[in-house]
Amino acid sequence: MESMTLKCPVTIKAKVTEDLKKELSADIQDKIKKADVELQQIEFHAKRIMAEQAKQDAQGLVQIRHQVEAEKQKRLEFKNRLLEKLKETAQLEIGSEIVQGTLERIIEVKVGEQLPQLMNAEILLEDGKIIAFRS
């Protein structure tokens, strides 16, 4: 066998521009708003469920309250991570590069080739457009 076909990861990087920073910030702010809405919904449903539980069995109220608090805490932690990510986004330097994900590609390797050079492929984007391929 003289060659072999492999699947290799390709790192997708983006060059930081003002437009990218705005886009990332807007996306994070949307997620923060959704987390706020979820918190309000939890609060609304909790009041209703706790009122029903109080009529039926007051002892079950403590367990429901713990479940509600646990759900609220999860959402608050998620929201705090988003707020931290928003701060990091604001501090990104124009022209720097950030990783946005990975894709896969299929390559054919032959005896004698340098595998590390083939495996370290990157695609660089600027405002959504491919501006470079790197290996």
Side-chain angles (χ1 to χ4, degrees):
M1 180 181 333
E2 292 296 315
S3 68
M4 185 180 286
T5 304
L6 303 173
K7 273 188 185 178
C8 296
V10 178
T11 302
I12 307 300
K13 289 186 172 182
K15 195 172 191 178
V16 177
T17 62
E18 283 297 331
D19 287 343
L20 179 61
K21 284 178 73 168
K22 288 177 188 173
E23 183 181 317
L24 293 172
S25 293
D27 183 48
I28 294 168
Q29 288 171 347
D30 284 344
K31 289 177 182 176
I32 290 170
K33 287 177 188 172
K34 287 178 184 174
D36 284 336
V37 168
E38 288 177 5
L39 282 166
Q40 290 173 354
Q41 288 175 339
I42 289 170
E43 200 61 48
F44 175 75
H45 292 301
K47 286 179 185 175
R48 185 177 49 88
I49 291 170
M50 288 170 60
E52 289 174 12
Q53 185 66 34
K55 292 177 188 174
Q56 296 173 359
D57 176 22
Q59 293 180 354
L61 209 54
V62 173
Q63 183 180 3
I64 291 173
R65 194 171 288 139
H66 285 305
Q67 289 174 340
V68 168
E69 288 304 314
E71 282 302 312
K72 282 172 52 177
Q73 190 60 39
K74 283 183 197 175
R75 298 309 190 288
L76 286 171
E77 288 171 7
F78 177 69
K79 183 180 173 183
N80 287 335
R81 285 193 306 270
L82 288 172
L83 289 168
E84 193 60 38
K85 200 170 183 179
L86 190 60
K87 288 178 192 174
E88 291 170 8
T89 300
Q91 295 173 353
L92 290 173
E93 289 185 34
I94 302 298
S96 63
E97 297 176 6
I98 58 171
V99 174
Q100 287 201 306
T102 58
L103 297 174
E104 288 186 341
R105 69 177 178 150
I106 297 175
I107 62 169
E108 186 174 334
V109 294
K110 297 180 178 119
V111 175
E113 291 183 320
Q114 295 290 323
L115 190 59
Q117 291 174 345
L118 297 170
M119 297 289 291
N120 294 327
E122 294 180 351
I123 296 175
L124 181 61
L125 306 174
E126 184 173 351
D127 293 330
K129 289 171 45 176
I130 296 172
I131 59 170
F133 296 110
R134 297 177 181 159
S135 57

